[in-house]
Amino acid sequence: KGSGLTCSFNVKGSNMTRSNADGYVCEFNNDTGTGCFDSGNNFNTSTHKFVAPVSGYYYFFTNIRLDGYGTGYIRTVILSTSYHAGTTYYAIPATGHVITYPTNGSGIMTVQTSTVMYLPATHEAWVYQDPQNDTSYTVYLSESSFGGYLIG
């Protein structure tokens, strides 16, 4: 990439204990731990969001571990300033929307998704989860990741 256009990140977070079935932003807040980085300093660890330094197409990915999730499904998406929780994000391919159900009795569930999304400069992207009805589980962000990079 040209000078000033380099940006990529891979972050993890702190574990989140859930006690209701409300949707939430995944609190990825660690860009300096082992294996983490933020080339370009475009990931905001306070808001848990990536901020596009330039307009362009970006590739994003996430994998998330959930412990104790056992009731119904959970939606996982990569939202943005343009495609957010107030929109029908589940019908927009650029959000990478997936629905995951518990598949074994171990109590451990993993969710993965990735997408290519156009972001205008200064727009944000973040990971959002919306459980159907489970109200007691842990989002193990210390063993999960959110990352991405500018394609062009």
Side-chain angles (χ1 to χ4, degrees), residues 20-70:
N20 60 53
D22 296 342
Y24 53 90
V25 174
C26 291
E27 296 176 0
F28 289 102
N29 59 12
N30 183 342
D31 61 0
T32 60
T34 302
C36 298
F37 61 90
D38 181 11
S39 171
N41 297 313
N42 301 300
F43 190 85
N44 185 324
T45 57
S46 297
T47 63
H48 322 293
K49 298 176 180 180
F50 169 80
V51 181
V54 295
S55 297
Y57 289 94
Y58 292 82
Y59 173 77
F60 296 107
F61 59 89
T62 191
N63 72 62
I64 300 171
R65 172 183 165 178
L66 303 173
D67 278 25
Y69 196 96

Side-chain angles (χ1 to χ4, degrees), residues 12-147:
K12 63 182 182 177
S14 301
N15 297 341
M16 300 169 57
T17 301
R18 303 296 304 158
S19 59
N20 60 53
D22 296 342
Y24 53 90
V25 174
C26 291
E27 296 176 0
F28 289 102
N29 59 12
N30 183 342
D31 61 0
T32 60
T34 302
C36 298
F37 61 90
D38 181 11
S39 171
N41 297 313
N42 301 300
F43 190 85
N44 185 324
T45 57
S46 297
T47 63
H48 322 293
K49 298 176 180 180
F50 169 80
V51 181
V54 295
S55 297
Y57 289 94
Y58 292 82
Y59 173 77
F60 296 107
F61 59 89
T62 191
N63 72 62
I64 300 171
R65 172 183 165 178
L66 303 173
D67 278 25
Y69 196 96
T71 306
Y73 62 79
I74 189 164
R75 293 179 185 268
T76 303
V77 292
I78 298 170
L79 296 182
S80 70
T81 304
S82 298
Y83 311 127
H84 49 80
T87 64
T88 54
Y89 63 82
Y90 46 84
I92 302 169
T95 65
H97 172 251
V98 293
I99 295 177
T100 309
Y101 289 87
T103 59
N104 61 53
S106 73
I108 297 174
M109 187 167 111
T110 59
V111 179
Q112 301 85 27
T113 191
S114 62
T115 192
V116 172
M117 178 185 297
Y118 179 81
L119 289 179
T122 73
H123 279 219
E124 299 173 315
W126 63 93
V127 179
Y128 182 80
Q129 289 192 303
D130 191 6
Q132 179 190 26
N133 54 19
D134 202 326
T135 60
S136 179
Y137 59 97
T138 301
V139 185
Y140 267 80
L141 296 180
S142 64
E143 297 182 15
S144 302
S145 66
F146 173 39

